[in-house]
């Protein structure tokens, strides 16, 4: 039966208990307020129950809910709610991240727009931070309220913020300890520099983007021994960044490249700067790149910097921290933006005849993850961390003490852990945790890496004589605070009851894009400061994309507002629609139709419960095994199968399979088949039989609502109480809330034996439904209205009880089913058969055979014409070899569909009497 078809559970009349229509907004507001007021989400560290804990990946404090949050937090909420129903003491710990670069950039932009500053230096550090804190207070709670709208069952009494005083103390303590261990040091290194945010970035904050650019081939004049240019003799270098040539200090060749070995030790003239630079030999040079000669710009390329160190070359900085050319670049270029300087340099070289050629060139360019601008390799003094606890953290994943889901990410993790580079942890920002290091004021003008240890103070409190010291102006990378999240949020360094009860945490749900930023670093921090892993399982979500497979973005206009979807369809619908299309670790192709399907599913659940309530009778009465019909036994076995499948899916973190199993069981098996079949005993004259059917319905629905609760928390809670199921439960086990109702268990062998749930009853019901499905096809085949009462003849394969025939009659919407073991049908009478017997549909008086033959003949001609049209395209190599795979696949499916239509119409024609 189609999803839009009626199952008889429609809004036909109203009951005193459950309202006629489901109004999600009112239900959601009511129950969330109830859960909060009753402290349903608050974890008790003194509880004797086994612990389950999960820490939220802290969203940016000034962020707003997007579809990625919906996916991630719905999964977390499902896990937390399921654990409560499993009888565990659950802590889902929420919080927000101060998001240094992102938040500071937003506030700076706002203040510039308001005319309050041109640069933050205009305000000064203290005044600027007042504005940031004011911004945080105004916007910081928005995403928390939005998560509540989604139904997130976080313990809000434990809400944390990475700039809270207690949390900041944790960050300071970690820095001081690692500094004293010699793992944190100050050094001058080539770093990734964001010229827009004017701060250093870690390698993980740089996104490589394929970029269409150019490869410029430049001519550097060769010099003789006296330093004079040799006429018409040049060394050709190829570069993607001609503006950096102003800082060149050498030209390098490979020592094994025979084309250039004779030139090593000679010099060339650096154009535009008019200074001699040497030709050096270095194994790093790839003889196959460009001409085999590479320009060496030590201050603006990490590989060139390494070569300069080996060959003792000077470092000339020609691009400043603001992305503009410095005075060292020369008078004609100083002050230009780097992009402007590129054009100017190319123009000058072309005028001088020193530009040999320009080629189109596609290459990967590093961009700042936050500001989106190309990063600049920049020589800068920064704070670095040598990663701690590397061996134990690597083994924890390799030996599956920490399980990754999907496990393919374990290889990615292991590869990164074996190729670690020291982490640049300082940022040239004002918003964040300030580096807890002070320098003697007498030494402050010296390079920090050269200041004597005696003139540096590192501590959680300022020096005893603060007037003689000046604090380091840098702040710490945001990830330096969030890598402590699993234990710093629970009261560390104190051994609090919360920390003792809930650490290590059970699950972490996050995206694979931050496996290095966050996951790996949390594991190292856990082993370093807690001596134990921070979590036992990591579930990596996919990326939410639109139905065309594009990443969601504001510029494409394909990123829906989750709050608008909740207002339109309800939170449960959004959750269920998202889960149903979220395979383990794969990208999610979002389509609003999935949310609409989720809403339809909620309405189906609502109407199914109303239908049961409209029948009256005792709620959750005892089932009498002697009165169980084959349909009752079939649905009980299907419920048992659904519970087992859902439990297995939870164990493997296959959330889409959970949603799909719930959908199949409830929509198809319960509503489409069982409820329709149950109308026979419900309409019978036997009160005992009717009561038994209602008891089966209550048993199935009470179990189903509990199965639904983690995915559909609001509607399941409303119906749990509306159906009266909460009244039969102790308060701590579902009486107060379905949150604490025990998770359904599969049927035991003893229960199956008591209720007679054997294969025979299951097969009988399955055979009935199969025969009904075959019989229903005749309505479509012969163009018969769905509401027309038909007459069928059943030639049974064996004895068949009258109640079973009555169920067949109802499901086939038949006026009558005549049971005739000796039936001899007229020629051309349509027939279907299975293990239950043979079903016939006498057509005499039902249709006009001549008109029907004409209609089907016309339909057959059209179908054959469509087959020929599609086949002509697919037989044409010019079409099949040029169209995208998706278009080819669509045409192949179209051919299969029309061929099936031809077969169906041919069969219908054959069934007509001659």
């Amino acid at each position: 039966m189609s999803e839009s078809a009626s199952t008889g559970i429609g809004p036909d009349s109203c009951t005193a208990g459950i309202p006629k229509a489901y109004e999600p907004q009112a239900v959601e507001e009511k129950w969330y307020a109830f859960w909060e007021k009753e402290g349903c989400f608050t974890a008790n560290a003194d509880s004797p129950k086994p612990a389950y804990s999960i820490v939220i990946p802290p969203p940016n404090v000034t962020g707003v809910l997007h579809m990625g949050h919906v996916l991630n937090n719905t999964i977390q909420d499902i896990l937390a709610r399921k654990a409560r129903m499993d009888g565990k003491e659950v802590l889902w710990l929420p919080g927000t991240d101060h998001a240094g670069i992102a938040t500071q950039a937003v506030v700076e932009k706002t203040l510039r727009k308001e005319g309050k500053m041109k640069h933050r230096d205009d305000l000064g550090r203290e005044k600027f931070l007042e504005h940031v804190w004011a911004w945080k207070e105004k916007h910081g709670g928005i995403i928390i309220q939005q998560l509540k709208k989604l139904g997130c069952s976080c313990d809000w009494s434990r809400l944390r913020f990475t700039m809270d005083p207690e949390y900041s103390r944790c960050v300071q303590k970690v820095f001081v300890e690692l500094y004293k261990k010699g793992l944190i040091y100050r050094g001058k290194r080539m770093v990734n520099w964001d010229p827009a945010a004017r701060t250093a970035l870690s390698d993980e904050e740089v996104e490589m983007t394929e970029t269409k650019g150019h490869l410029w081939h430049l001519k550097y004049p060769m010099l003789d021994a006296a330093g004079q240019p040799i006429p018409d003799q040049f060394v050709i270098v190829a570069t993607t960044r001609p503006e950096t040539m102003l800082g060149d200090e050498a030209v390098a060749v490979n020592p094994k490249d025979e084309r250039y070995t004779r030139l090593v030790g000679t010099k060339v003239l650096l154009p535009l700067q008019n200074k001699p630079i040497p030709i050096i030999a270095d194994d790093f040079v790839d003889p196959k790149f460009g001409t085999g000669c590479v320009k060496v710009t030590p201050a603006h390329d990490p590989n060139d910097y390494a070569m300069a160190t080996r060959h003792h070359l000077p470092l000339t900085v020609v691009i400043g921290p603001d992305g503009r050319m410095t005075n060292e670049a020369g008078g004609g270029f100083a002050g230009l933006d780097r992009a402007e300087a590129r054009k100017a340099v190319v123009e000058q070289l072309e005028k001088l005849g020193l530009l040999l050629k320009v080629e189109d060139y596609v290459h990967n360019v590093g961009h700042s993850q936050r500001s989106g601008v190309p990063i600049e390799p920049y020589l800068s003094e920064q704070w670095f961390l040598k990663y701690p606890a590397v061996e134990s953290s690597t083994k924890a994943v390799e030996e599956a003490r920490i399980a990754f889901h999907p496990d393919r990410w374990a290889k990615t993790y292991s590869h990164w852990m074996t190729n670690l580079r020291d982490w640049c942890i300082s940022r040239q920002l004002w918003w964040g945790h300030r580096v807890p290091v002070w320098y003697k004021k007498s030494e402050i003008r010296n390079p920090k890496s050269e200041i004597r240890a005696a003139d540096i103070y590192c501590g959680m409190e300022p020096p005893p004589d603060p007037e003689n010291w000046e604090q380091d102006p840098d702040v710490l990378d945001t990830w330096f605070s969030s890598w402590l999240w699993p234990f710093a949020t629970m009261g560390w360094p104190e051994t609090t009851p919360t920390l003792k009860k809930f650490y290590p945490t059970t699950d972490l749900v996050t995206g694979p894009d931050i496996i290095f930023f966050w996951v790996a670093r949390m594991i190292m921090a856990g082993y370093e400061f807690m001596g134990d892993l921070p979590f036992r399982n990591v579930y990596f979500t996919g990326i939410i994309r639109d139905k065309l497979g594009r990443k969601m973005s504001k510029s494409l206009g394909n990123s829906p507002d989750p709050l608008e979807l909740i207002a339109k369809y309800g939170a449960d619908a959004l959750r269920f629609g998202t889960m149903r299309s979220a395979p383990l670790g794969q990208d999610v192709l979002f389509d609003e139709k999935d949310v609409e399907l989720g809403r339809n599913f909620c309405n189906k659940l609502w109407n199914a419960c109303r239908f049961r309530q409209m029948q009256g009778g005792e709620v959750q009465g005892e089932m009498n095994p002697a009165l169980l019909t084959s349909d009752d036994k079939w649905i009980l076995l299907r419920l048992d199968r659904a519970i087992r499948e859902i439990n297995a899916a939870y164990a493997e973190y296959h959330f889409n399979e959970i949603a799909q199993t719930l959908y199949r069981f409830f929509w198809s098996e319960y509503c489409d088949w069982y409820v329709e079949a149950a109308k026979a005993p419900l309409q019978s004259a036997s009160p005992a039989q009717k009561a038994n059917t209602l008891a089966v319905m209550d048993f199935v629905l009470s179990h189903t609502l509990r199965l639904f609760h983690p995915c559909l928390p609001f509607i399941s809670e409303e119906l749990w109480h509306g159906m009266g199921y909460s009244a039969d439960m102790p308060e701590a086990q579902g009486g107060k809330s379905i949150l604490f109702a025990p998770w359904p268990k599969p049927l035991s062998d003893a229960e199956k034996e008591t209720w007679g749930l054997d294969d025979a009853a299951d097969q009988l019901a399955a055979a009935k439904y199969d025969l009904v499905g075959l019989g229903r096809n005749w309505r479509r085949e012969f163009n018969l209205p769905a509401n027309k009462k038909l007459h069928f003849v059943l030639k049974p394969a064996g004895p068949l009880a009258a109640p079973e025939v009555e169920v067949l009659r109802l499901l086939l919407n038949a006026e009558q089913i005549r049971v005739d073991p000796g039936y001899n049908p007229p020629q051309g009478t349509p027939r279907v058969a299975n293990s239950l017997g043979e079903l016939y549909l006498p057509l005499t008086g039902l249709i006009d055979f001549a008109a029907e033959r004409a209609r089907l003949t016309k339909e057959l001609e059209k179908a054959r014409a469509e087959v020929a049209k599609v086949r002509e395209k697919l037989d044409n190599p010019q079409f099949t070899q040029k169209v995208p795979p998706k278009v080819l696949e669509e045409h192949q499916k179209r051919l299969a569909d029309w061929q099936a239509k031809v077969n169906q119409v041919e069969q219908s024609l054959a069934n007509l009497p001659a």
Side-chain angles (χ1 to χ4, degrees):
M1 191 172 284
S2 72
E3 292 175 3
S4 60
S6 169
T7 64
I9 313 174
D12 301 314
S13 62
C14 191
T15 68
I18 300 173
K20 184 174 182 179
Y22 176 49
E23 300 291 344
Q25 281 72 28
V27 168
E28 289 164 10
E29 288 176 15
K30 175 180 76 173
W31 284 114
Y32 205 90
F34 174 83
W35 291 328
E36 282 201 285
K37 180 185 175 186
E38 295 295 321
C40 293
F41 306 152
T42 305
N44 178 6
D46 299 322
S47 168
K49 296 179 185 177
Y52 175 91
S53 54
I54 185 168
V55 291
I56 199 170
N60 291 358
V61 67
T62 58
V64 293
L65 199 69
H66 56 63
M67 288 305 301
H69 292 130
V70 170
L71 174 64
N72 186 295
N73 288 283
T74 296
I75 290 171
Q76 291 178 78
D77 194 46
I78 287 170
L79 290 169
R81 289 177 183 272
K82 167 68 162 57
R84 289 187 188 96
M85 299 178 81
D86 283 334
K88 295 177 181 175
E89 190 63 36
V90 173
L91 169 60
W92 181 12
L93 200 150
T96 53
D97 188 269
H98 66 280
I101 295 177
T103 302
Q104 179 158 322
V106 169
V107 175
E108 285 184 353
K109 184 178 179 180
T110 302
L111 293 175
R112 282 195 295 270
K113 191 175 180 181
E114 293 173 352
K116 293 181 178 177
M117 67 171 216
K118 290 183 178 179
H119 187 269
R120 61 179 181 263
D121 289 339
D122 300 340
L123 292 175
R125 186 172 197 137
E126 190 173 331
K127 192 69 178 174
F128 176 78
L129 287 177
E130 286 178 12
H131 283 287
V132 184
W133 278 108
W135 178 272
K136 182 262 178 188
E137 290 307 312
K138 182 178 179 180
H139 300 278
I142 293 174
I143 197 163
I144 298 302
Q145 296 308 314
Q146 292 173 332
L147 288 171
K148 291 180 179 182
K149 283 275 188 188
L150 187 63
C152 294
S153 59
C154 300
D155 183 348
W156 301 112
S157 70
R158 287 180 165 89
L159 182 66
R160 298 290 182 264
F161 174 49
T162 50
M163 290 281 283
D164 283 340
E166 299 84 359
Y167 200 98
S168 296
R169 297 280 293 174
C170 295
V171 175
Q172 291 170 336
K173 179 178 174 62
V174 164
F175 184 98
V176 171
E177 285 190 15
L178 293 174
Y179 177 83
K180 289 179 178 176
K181 286 183 178 182
L183 294 176
I184 287 180
Y185 63 94
R186 182 92 182 183
K188 194 168 189 178
R189 295 275 188 88
M190 182 70 66
V191 298
N192 305 300
W193 187 264
D194 181 336
R198 298 194 196 181
T199 181
L201 304 173
S202 68
D203 290 342
E204 292 75 27
E205 290 170 295
V206 177
E207 291 182 344
M208 303 308 292
T209 305
E210 190 175 273
T211 305
K212 291 180 180 178
H214 298 93
L215 191 63
W216 286 269
H217 292 256
L218 315 181
K219 297 159 67 174
Y220 285 11
M222 293 187 61
L223 300 176
D224 60 19
Q228 296 301 311
I230 303 173
D232 300 324
Q233 291 197 34
F234 303 93
V235 167
I236 310 300
V237 298
T239 179
T240 58
R241 302 192 64 201
E243 70 279 9
T244 63
M245 59 84 61
L246 299 169
D248 284 1
E249 293 297 344
V251 170
V253 298
N254 190 290
K256 298 182 182 124
D257 192 338
E258 295 179 358
R259 294 174 295 173
Y260 303 117
T261 48
R262 62 184 177 82
L263 300 180
V264 176
T266 64
K267 293 187 177 181
V268 296
L269 184 69
L270 179 63
L272 308 183
Q273 297 288 55
N274 294 317
K275 73 175 184 181
I277 57 174
I279 297 176
I280 61 174
D282 196 283
D283 289 323
F284 173 77
V285 178
D286 179 2
K288 296 177 183 176
F289 175 77
T291 63
C293 299
V294 299
K295 56 191 282 304
V296 181
T297 318
H300 297 286
D301 183 277
N303 296 316
D304 292 3
Y305 175 74
M307 274 197 278
T309 303
R310 290 192 290 271
H311 295 273
H312 308 291
L313 299 174
L315 307 175
T316 303
V317 177
V318 294
I319 301 176
D322 57 356
R324 294 187 174 277
M325 307 307 286
T326 66
N327 291 333
E328 295 284 345
F333 306 104
L336 292 179
D337 176 84
R338 53 187 173 160
E340 297 169 340
R342 177 174 298 181
K343 292 179 183 176
V345 165
V346 170
E347 285 176 8
Q348 289 296 315
L349 290 171
E350 198 167 14
K351 282 181 185 176
L352 295 170
L354 297 177
L355 180 62
L356 179 64
K357 63 178 179 177
V358 183
E359 297 175 322
D360 290 336
Y361 188 68
V362 177
H363 60 134
N364 286 323
V365 176
H367 284 70
S368 167
Q369 191 185 60
R370 291 298 182 189
S371 67
V373 302
I375 61 105
E376 192 65 50
Y378 186 66
L379 196 61
S380 173
E381 270 199 318
Q382 301 290 340
W383 288 98
F384 294 89
L385 168 66
K386 295 176 183 176
Y387 284 107
V390 173
E391 185 179 355
S392 52
S393 301
T394 305
K395 285 183 177 178
V397 175
E398 289 178 347
E399 296 172 1
R401 290 195 296 278
I402 299 176
F404 281 6
H405 307 273
D407 60 4
R408 69 173 183 271
W409 290 110
K411 289 183 180 178
T412 306
Y413 172 87
S414 180
H415 176 75
W416 187 75
M417 291 295 289
T418 53
N419 293 276
L420 289 172
R421 292 175 60 182
D422 291 355
W423 175 12
C424 176
I425 59 172
S426 48
R427 298 291 180 269
Q428 287 63 57
L429 304 169
W430 286 350
W431 174 244
H433 299 98
R434 195 164 177 181
V435 173
V437 170
W438 288 258
Y439 308 100
K440 278 276 182 72
K441 285 188 176 178
S442 58
E443 302 293 325
I444 199 67
R445 295 187 179 278
N446 296 328
K448 307 295 189 300
S449 53
E450 297 176 15
I451 298 177
R452 296 176 308 147
D455 295 324
I456 298 175
Y457 175 86
C458 177
M460 294 177 65
E461 303 293 341
D465 51 341
E467 66 279 1
N468 296 321
W469 299 81
E470 187 167 321
Q471 190 172 0
D472 193 301
D474 291 352
V475 300
L476 293 164
D477 179 9
T478 297
W479 297 103
F480 191 85
S481 54
S482 53
W483 77 319
L484 314 175
W485 190 248
F487 54 88
T489 51
M490 295 189 192
W492 184 88
E494 303 301 323
T495 308
T496 62
T498 299
L499 196 62
K500 286 171 68 176
K501 177 75 174 177
F502 296 107
Y503 188 93
T505 63
T506 314
D507 291 319
L508 176 74
V509 179
T510 188
D513 52 330
I514 56 174
I515 190 172
F516 312 129
F517 286 118
W518 198 42
V519 178
R521 289 169 177 168
M522 280 192 291
I523 295 172
M524 287 185 271
Y527 277 107
E528 177 69 13
F529 298 104
M530 294 296 296
D532 200 354
L533 47 79
F535 29 72
R536 305 189 191 284
N537 298 282
V538 183
Y539 176 88
F540 291 106
T541 64
I543 295 171
I544 293 253
R545 299 182 181 275
D546 67 13
K547 58 186 176 183
L548 300 177
R550 301 174 303 178
K551 195 170 182 179
M552 287 185 170
S553 69
K554 289 181 181 177
S555 60
L556 288 174
N558 63 347
S559 183
D561 181 348
L563 291 184
E564 290 180 4
L565 292 171
I566 289 173
K568 186 175 180 181
Y569 299 106
D572 285 339
L574 177 60
R575 292 164 65 112
F576 193 77
T578 305
M579 284 301 94
R580 198 163 177 260
S581 56
L584 172 64
Q586 296 180 32
D587 288 352
V588 179
L589 298 183
F590 176 81
D591 188 336
E592 190 170 330
K593 287 182 178 177
D594 290 322
V595 187
E596 187 177 355
L597 180 146
R599 180 194 62 189
N600 294 344
F601 190 66
C602 288
N603 288 337
K604 191 82 165 180
L605 176 59
W606 185 264
N607 291 333
C609 288
R610 281 190 70 245
F611 176 81
R612 158 60 191 100
Q613 197 171 74
M614 287 162 63
Q615 308 309 310
E618 182 185 0
V619 176
Q620 288 195 296
E622 285 291 324
M623 288 188 290
N624 181 347
L627 294 178
L628 292 175
T629 66
S630 63
D631 302 295
D632 294 334
K633 294 175 180 179
W634 180 84
I635 197 61
L636 291 170
L637 285 169
R638 290 301 178 276
L639 173 64
D640 177 66
R641 184 179 74 171
I643 293 170
R644 293 176 190 276
E645 288 179 2
I646 290 168
N647 285 347
Y650 269 113
E652 297 296 325
Y653 296 82
H654 290 176
F655 296 99
N656 68 314
E657 291 180 14
I658 294 167
Q660 288 164 3
T661 300
L662 287 168
Y663 191 90
R664 181 205 73 217
F665 168 73
F666 190 73
W667 190 296
S668 177
E669 295 171 347
Y670 180 77
C671 290
D672 282 359
W673 291 114
Y674 178 71
V675 172
E676 296 299 320
K679 288 179 181 177
L682 289 176
Q683 294 168 10
S684 74
S686 168
Q689 188 64 63
K690 179 179 178 180
N692 212 58
T693 301
L694 294 177
V696 173
M697 280 188 162
D698 283 333
F699 183 88
V700 173
L701 286 172
S702 68
H703 280 68
T704 302
L705 288 174
R706 282 178 276 164
L707 290 173
F708 277 138
H709 178 70
C711 297
L712 307 174
F714 294 108
I715 192 170
S716 59
E717 184 78 91
E718 177 76 2
L719 292 172
W720 180 252
H721 293 271
M723 294 294 290
Y725 297 150
S726 60
D728 291 338
M729 308 292 285
E731 183 170 314
Q733 295 182 340
K736 179 165 74 172
S737 169
I738 195 174
L739 266 169
F740 305 108
W743 183 254
K745 294 179 181 178
L747 297 175
S748 65
D749 290 341
E751 286 173 316
K752 288 181 180 179
E753 185 177 351
T754 300
W755 293 340
L757 306 185
D758 52 23
D759 290 342
D762 184 56
Q763 290 166 5
L764 173 59
K768 279 190 301 188
Y769 306 151
D770 176 59
L771 199 61
V772 168
L774 295 170
R776 284 175 176 172
N777 288 338
W778 284 328
R779 291 186 182 272
R780 183 178 67 250
E781 189 176 328
F782 296 114
N783 202 27
L784 299 170
N787 61 353
K788 185 175 179 64
K789 298 285 187 180
L790 303 178
H791 290 261
F792 295 88
V793 178
L794 176 65
K795 189 175 181 179
L800 194 63
E804 306 292 359
V805 178
E806 177 61 11
V807 168
L808 282 172
R809 187 189 69 77
L810 281 171
L811 293 177
L812 284 166
N813 191 25
E815 184 72 34
Q816 178 192 37
I817 294 182
R818 179 161 61 92
V819 179
D820 185 352
Y823 182 62
N824 187 18
Q827 184 181 356
T829 302
R831 169 191 175 274
V832 292
N834 69 1
S835 60
L836 204 64
E838 301 171 16
L839 186 67
Y840 296 90
L841 177 62
L843 295 175
T844 305
L846 195 60
I847 60 173
D848 181 331
F849 293 128
E852 183 64 11
R853 188 179 301 279
R855 184 185 73 81
L856 289 172
T857 301
K858 190 175 179 180
E859 203 171 312
L860 182 61
E861 287 172 359
K862 180 186 175 184
R864 284 174 174 166
E866 290 293 337
V867 167
K869 192 191 302 182
V870 181
R871 184 169 277 152
E872 184 181 0
K873 279 191 174 183
L874 291 175
D875 288 343
N876 181 2
Q878 292 293 317
F879 176 79
T880 56
Q881 292 172 13
K882 289 183 178 179
V883 297
K886 191 171 182 181
V887 175
L888 183 62
E889 189 180 318
E890 286 172 357
H891 277 72
Q892 289 168 337
K893 183 179 183 303
R894 195 180 303 168
L895 177 62
D897 290 345
W898 279 113
Q899 285 174 331
K901 181 70 174 176
V902 167
N903 293 336
Q904 178 214 321
V905 177
E906 286 177 341
Q907 183 60 48
S908 297
L909 278 167
N911 282 338
L912 289 176

